[in-house]
Amino acid sequence: LAVERGYVERKQVQDYASQLGVTSNHLVETVRGATGITPKRIIQERLLLEAKRLLAYSSLSAAEVGNELSFPNPAQFGRWFKMNAGLAPGQFRQQLVAT
């Protein structure tokens, strides 16, 4: 799957559509028809899985995790993580320690 190889560098549906030689709309329609979810959601879910893995199993700080995942700055990573995971990276780590 292209997402497995490129989710860190390519976060936009257009990147994958260009790689496949199709329009973004065509890719969205095709993927949604086959899976029931959008390519953007697939990319976001893969990126979130990796962010959670790094937060859970590495000693990297949240800022370093964001850097590893090619976010432009720690604040943007923190906002993105909270929007997608429902809690801040630090809260996610605390929740793991508490269980």
Side-chain angles (χ1 to χ4, degrees), residues 11-25:
K11 294 181 178 72
Q12 303 300 317
V13 173
Q14 178 58 46
D15 298 331
Y16 294 93
S18 294
Q19 183 181 13
L20 295 168
V22 298
T23 66
S24 294
N25 286 341

Side-chain angles (χ1 to χ4, degrees), residues 3 9 23-25 30 36-37 51 55 66 73 79 89:
V3 173
E9 299 85 20
T23 66
S24 294
N25 286 341
T30 302
I37 58 176
L55 288 166
N73 60 62
R79 285 190 304 272

Side-chain angles (χ1 to χ4, degrees), residues 22-64:
V22 298
T23 66
S24 294
N25 286 341
H26 179 72
L27 183 60
V28 169
E29 290 172 13
T30 302
V31 171
R32 190 181 339 203
T35 66
I37 58 176
T38 65
K40 181 176 181 170
R41 190 72 231 150
I42 292 171
I43 297 163
Q44 295 294 311
E45 286 177 5
R46 180 57 185 96
L47 197 57
L48 183 60
L49 177 65
E50 187 64 12
K52 286 179 174 181
R53 186 188 71 77
L54 289 170
L55 288 166
Y57 299 109
S58 78
S59 60
L60 296 175
S61 69
E64 291 169 324

Side-chain angles (χ1 to χ4, degrees), residues 63-95:
E64 291 169 324
V65 169
N67 189 51
E68 285 286 314
L69 298 176
S70 299
F71 281 86
N73 60 62
Q76 186 176 0
F77 172 69
R79 285 190 304 272
W80 175 86
F81 189 89
K82 187 169 185 172
M83 183 176 74
N84 285 279
L87 47 137
Q91 292 171 319
F92 175 78
R93 263 203 177 133
Q94 287 175 338
Q95 190 177 58

